[in-house]
Amino acid sequence: MKSYFQKLFSHKSTWVLLVISLFSIALSLCRRVMTGYTLYTFMIWNLFLAFVPWFAASIIYIKDIKRIVPIVAIVLVWLPFFPNAPYILTDLLHLGNRNWHSAPPWFDLIMLLSYAFAGLIYGFVSLQMIEEKIKANLKCKFAPVVSAALIYISGFGVYIGRFLRWNSWDLLSNLPSVLQDIAQRVRYPLMHTRTWAFTLLFGTLLNIIYIIFKQDDFKLAQE
């Protein structure tokens, strides 16, 4: 365990994530003190959900697990939680809710942007870890294509989370209903154009950002 944390904190992405996470949480706590209301404190929970896929990916990456079975098992845990990372971007929609007692709009904007930025980094670093393990251990020459597909899948996951109000835990507690909603959109795509338009556009945006993120000048998952 000690060696795990030593290697984990040898990566600059870990320090970046620690700083931006603490900054985001501090803003939420300041808002609570300023207004006396708990509005937006749910963002701390959303940040934790974005942390989960990063933590899962870090296990196989930092521990350098090479056996296929544990890699696949952890990826199966990672995948349902991965959409929680880019999901935080959609929390910017809450900026339109000015009916509650609130802080100045500029403060809420900075706070939500900090959470969104943290969520994106958690997601992209975890995806980069998964991509490199797929490339190295599964001998997959098309790992970037797999990553692109996973991003589009996460875009679909963000849609069913934001607009259909399903979450990762529902895959355990209410799987038949989740699968029914998904099946309806797969079987009758023309009846659910908003679903696929959102998935395509949001997924494309995330793919563009991820391609930039992976460039040497931006890459964070390195020592």
Side-chain angles (χ1 to χ4, degrees):
M1 184 62 70
K2 183 179 179 180
S3 63
Y4 165 77
F5 284 107
Q6 287 177 339
K7 291 181 180 178
L8 185 64
F9 280 95
S10 70
H11 292 265
K12 62 181 179 181
S13 61
T14 304
W15 292 102
V16 171
L17 285 167
L18 179 62
V19 171
I20 189 65
S21 297
L22 292 176
F23 177 70
S24 301
I25 294 170
L27 289 177
S28 292
L29 297 178
C30 287
R31 193 185 194 286
R32 173 69 174 84
V33 172
M34 286 190 303
T35 65
Y37 289 86
T38 58
L39 182 65
Y40 289 136
T41 53
F42 66 86
M43 294 299 299
I44 299 175
W45 174 249
N46 287 351
L47 184 64
F48 170 76
L49 292 177
F51 163 85
V52 172
W54 172 83
F55 178 70
S58 73
I59 294 175
I60 58 176
Y61 184 79
I62 301 297
K63 301 290 287 184
D64 196 22
I65 298 175
K66 299 183 182 299
R67 291 187 299 167
I68 301 301
V69 173
I71 290 177
V72 172
I74 294 176
V75 168
L76 290 177
V77 173
W78 171 84
L79 184 58
F81 286 93
F82 176 54
N84 290 310
Y87 175 89
I88 299 183
L89 283 174
T90 66
D91 284 318
L92 290 170
L93 293 172
H94 292 299
L95 283 172
N97 297 330
R98 309 304 305 173
N99 297 323
W100 298 306
H101 291 83
S102 58
W106 59 262
F107 185 92
D108 287 345
L109 175 63
I110 293 171
M111 181 183 64
L112 291 176
L113 284 175
S114 69
Y115 276 105
F117 185 55
L120 271 184
I121 299 178
Y122 273 120
F124 285 162
V125 172
S126 74
L127 180 59
Q128 191 176 17
M129 290 176 177
I130 295 295
E131 181 180 324
E132 291 186 11
K133 292 303 291 186
I134 290 175
K135 188 184 302 181
N137 294 90
L138 301 183
K139 307 301 181 183
C140 179
K141 298 180 180 179
F142 306 102
V145 177
V146 174
S147 293
L150 289 172
I151 288 176
Y152 279 110
I153 292 173
S154 76
F156 180 77
V158 171
Y159 179 88
I160 65 175
R162 169 56 63 191
F163 301 105
L164 304 185
R165 306 310 298 165
W166 296 117
N167 59 60
S168 301
W169 308 110
D170 288 316
L171 295 176
L172 297 176
S173 62
N174 204 358
L175 182 59
S177 297
V178 176
L179 292 179
Q180 183 178 8
D181 269 348
I182 293 175
Q184 284 290 321
R185 281 153 179 78
V186 173
R187 291 177 61 186
Y188 307 107
L190 296 181
M191 295 176 59
H192 301 282
T193 54
R194 189 177 76 162
T195 301
W196 299 113
F198 178 90
T199 300
L200 177 63
L201 294 177
F202 193 63
T204 300
L205 173 63
L206 292 178
N207 266 298
I208 292 171
I209 299 174
Y210 182 61
I211 290 172
I212 297 172
F213 174 84
K214 287 197 300 180
Q215 302 307 305
D216 290 337
D217 290 340
F218 292 89
K219 191 180 295 183
L220 289 173
Q222 55 179 280
E223 297 182 6

